[in-house]
């Protein structure tokens, strides 16, 4: 069974500083994908970044980067130059990527980290 | 193009009533998912549709919950005889079958259901 653990219920960061949100995962599947989503108070889940288990390089998307350490089963999100608009809940998620094409590809989510950016 | 659209955005109902929640996926996306987000349980998978294949209903919590997808596009999640524990935000997501984004699920803004 897949499991995602986010150990930081809440985090504070000063505007313009960088922040790291922790995520560890557990799976027996060799092929999987790791995702980060942002959920502001409006409720919509916004996709931020994706990392495949076989990707050689860490994923980056603008100010977001994913620090993928496969041996440690961690997939931390790094947000550089924090902005007030980054204040939101952040969810780490995972899904298996079976080569056979079978399976539902459902996401398993962590419980989230609430990030507050301080001016 | 337009994102995933869900309606209504908010729904208040009385215990025992039936409710229907609608999801309109991104045009061309063949996969459609329903999730439920509640304070106590976090985000839970409910059901998955992929094209014309039989849906994966493994996440539905009881037989009061059902979903259908007509014409491979719009989906309706129906909850019969609603209970207070059904109060939650119901999120819909879609993804394409092929391409770079095939592994990524794009979510709508959700329907907040309150059962009184």
């Amino acid at each position: 069974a897949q499991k995602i653990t986010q150990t930081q219920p809440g985090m504070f960061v000063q505007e313009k500083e960088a922040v790291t949100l922790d995520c560890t995962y557990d799976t027996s599947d060799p092929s999987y994908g790791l995702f980060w989503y942002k959920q502001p108070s409006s409720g919509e889940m916004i996709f931020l970044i994706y990392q495949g288990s076989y990707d050689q390089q860490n994923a980056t998307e603008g100010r977001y980067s994913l620090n993928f350490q496969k041996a440690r089963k961690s997939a931390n999100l790094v947000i550089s130059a924090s902005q007030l608009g980054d204040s939101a809940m952040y969810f780490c998620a995972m899904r298996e990527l079976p080569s056979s094409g079978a399976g539902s590809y459902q996401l398993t989510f962590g419980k989230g980290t609430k990030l507050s950016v301080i001016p | 193009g337009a994102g995933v659209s869900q309606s209504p955005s908010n729904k208040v109902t009385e215990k025992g009533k039936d409710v229907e929640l609608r999801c309109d996926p991104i045009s061309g996306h063949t996969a459609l998912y329903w999730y439920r987000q509640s304070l106590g349980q976090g985000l839970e998978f409910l059901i998955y549709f992929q094209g014309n294949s039989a849906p994966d209903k493994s996440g539905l919590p009881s037989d009061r919950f059902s979903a259908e997808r007509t014409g491979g596009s719009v989906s309706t999640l129906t909850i019969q005889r609603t209970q207070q524990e059904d109060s939650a935000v119901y999120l819909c997501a879609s993804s394409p079958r092929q391409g770079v984004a095939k592994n990524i699920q794009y979510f709508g803004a959700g329907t907040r259901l309150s059962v009184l």
Side-chain angles (χ1 to χ4, degrees), chain A residues 13-69:
Chain A
V13 63
Q14 202 76 35
E15 191 178 7
K16 300 181 184 177
E17 297 292 315
V19 62
T20 297
L21 306 183
D22 294 342
C23 173
T24 58
Y25 61 91
D26 191 19
T27 181
S28 57
D29 296 304
S31 181
Y32 51 89
L34 295 156
F35 306 78
W36 278 92
Y37 285 86
K38 172 185 178 181
Q39 189 176 43
S41 56
S42 60
E44 184 172 0
M45 295 285 281
I46 302 168
F47 165 73
L48 296 178
I49 196 166
Y50 164 77
Q51 178 86 42
S53 59
Y54 291 118
D55 292 344
Q56 294 298 313
Q57 293 187 326
N58 287 347
T60 60
E61 289 286 348
R63 294 186 299 111
Y64 305 108
S65 61
L66 199 152
N67 184 2
F68 180 44
Q69 298 187 41

Side-chain angles (χ1 to χ4, degrees), chain B residues 75-114:
Chain B
S75 176
T76 302
L77 177 68
T78 301
I79 308 173
Q80 295 179 310
R81 305 180 302 282
T82 51
Q83 303 294 313
Q84 289 183 332
E85 61 262 30
D86 299 334
S87 296
V89 176
Y90 291 81
L91 291 162
C92 177
S94 70
S95 61
R97 189 178 185 88
Q98 297 179 350
V100 175
K102 70 176 181 179
N103 294 326
I104 299 168
Q105 295 178 26
Y106 298 91
F107 284 80
T111 294
R112 183 175 297 275
L113 175 66
S114 299

Side-chain angles (χ1 to χ4, degrees), chain B residues 4-72:
Chain B
V4 176
S5 178
Q6 292 188 246
S7 60
S9 55
N10 285 281
K11 176 72 176 178
V12 180
T13 190
E14 294 179 350
K15 178 181 173 181
K17 300 284 190 182
D18 298 351
V19 295
E20 288 188 349
L21 312 180
R22 176 189 168 102
C23 173
D24 202 340
I26 294 171
S27 177
H29 282 194
T30 56
L32 187 148
Y33 301 78
W34 283 97
Y35 293 85
R36 178 170 70 174
Q37 184 175 25
S38 58
L39 283 175
Q41 301 298 321
L43 278 145
E44 304 170 283
F45 164 76
L46 296 177
I47 189 169
Y48 160 75
F49 296 90
Q50 175 60 275
N52 295 321
S53 302
D56 177 355
K57 305 179 183 179
S58 60
L60 294 179
S62 77
D63 58 7
R64 296 186 296 105
F65 288 73
S66 63
E68 63 177 20
R69 189 177 184 192
T70 54

Side-chain angles (χ1 to χ4, degrees), chain A residues 38 63-64 79-88 90 115 117:
Chain A
K38 172 185 178 181
R63 294 186 299 111
Y64 305 108
I79 305 174
S80 63
S82 296
Q83 302 172 356
L84 295 178
D86 294 336
S87 294
Y90 288 81
L115 178 66
V117 180

